[in-house]
Amino acid sequence: MRTERPRLALAVLALALLSGCGANDDEAPKTPRTATGSLEQLAEQAECDPNVQTDADELRQANCKTADGRYILTTFATDRGLREWINEANDYGGSYLVGRKWVASGDAEVVETLRGRLGGTVETAPEHHSGSGDDDSGTGGSGESEGGEGHKGHHDKG
């Protein structure tokens, strides 16, 4: 009798965990495993012909334009370099798809589409400046932006 209770408890726990994991499968889109590789390898997976703008030891950055839109793909030599870049970029707002030692930045819709190819985690920073002063989007600082233009100057130096 003593061994039946622990087995029953384990079976109930396993069933609960399995049913809980599958409960939201219909709601969340399937994303691939987070991509890794060089700037060129990531660009190929993202279906982009990269226009390299920065080629330095600490980071490489390229402009990409696809049928889905424009974005900037950046790879980093270290995880710390990536995190420091993200922390600074958050001051400018925008949407970022973050992987291991890489980030893609662009319009929220483009970033979400890229996630279907590259995996990764979407990070959205609230816009801190609007430039035009006519922000009537009603987002209330949720961090989602429609145009994604507010941070273009930070990432696109040319």
Side-chain angles (χ1 to χ4, degrees):
M1 279 283 203
R2 286 185 183 181
T3 59
E4 288 181 38
R5 263 195 185 154
R7 285 184 194 166
L8 179 61
L10 285 174
V12 169
L13 179 61
L15 182 59
L17 288 173
L18 289 174
S19 64
C21 289
N24 294 328
D25 284 349
D26 293 337
E27 296 172 17
K30 303 286 185 206
T31 55
R33 197 169 123 198
T34 302
T36 59
S38 69
L39 180 70
E40 289 77 11
Q41 290 167 331
L42 292 166
E44 184 177 335
Q45 284 185 283
E47 301 173 7
C48 156
D49 182 20
N51 179 4
V52 177
Q53 299 295 307
T54 304
D55 193 357
D57 289 339
E58 62 276 356
L59 70 87
R60 296 186 70 218
Q61 190 171 62
N63 292 331
C64 288
K65 183 177 179 181
T66 66
D68 300 316
R70 292 173 32 153
Y71 58 95
I72 298 171
L73 186 59
T74 308
T75 57
F76 300 86
T78 65
D79 291 320
R80 181 178 177 187
L82 165 68
R83 189 46 42 198
E84 288 174 352
W85 187 94
I86 287 287
N87 290 342
E88 184 178 324
N90 281 335
D91 290 342
Y92 295 89
S95 294
Y96 308 96
L97 180 62
V98 182
R100 176 105 201 288
K101 296 185 183 178
W102 61 264
V103 64
S105 55
D107 182 69
E109 291 175 4
V110 174
V111 166
E112 200 57 51
T113 300
L114 282 173
R115 187 170 185 233
R117 294 187 197 125
L118 298 176
T121 305
V122 174
E123 294 187 24
T124 305
E127 294 289 332
H128 292 289
H129 56 79
S130 63
S132 64
D134 58 86
D135 183 23
D136 59 356
S137 63
T139 60
S142 68
E144 295 183 24
S145 64
E146 291 296 317
E149 298 294 327
H151 68 291
K152 181 179 173 188
H154 171 69
H155 302 288
D156 189 4
K157 300 200 173 161

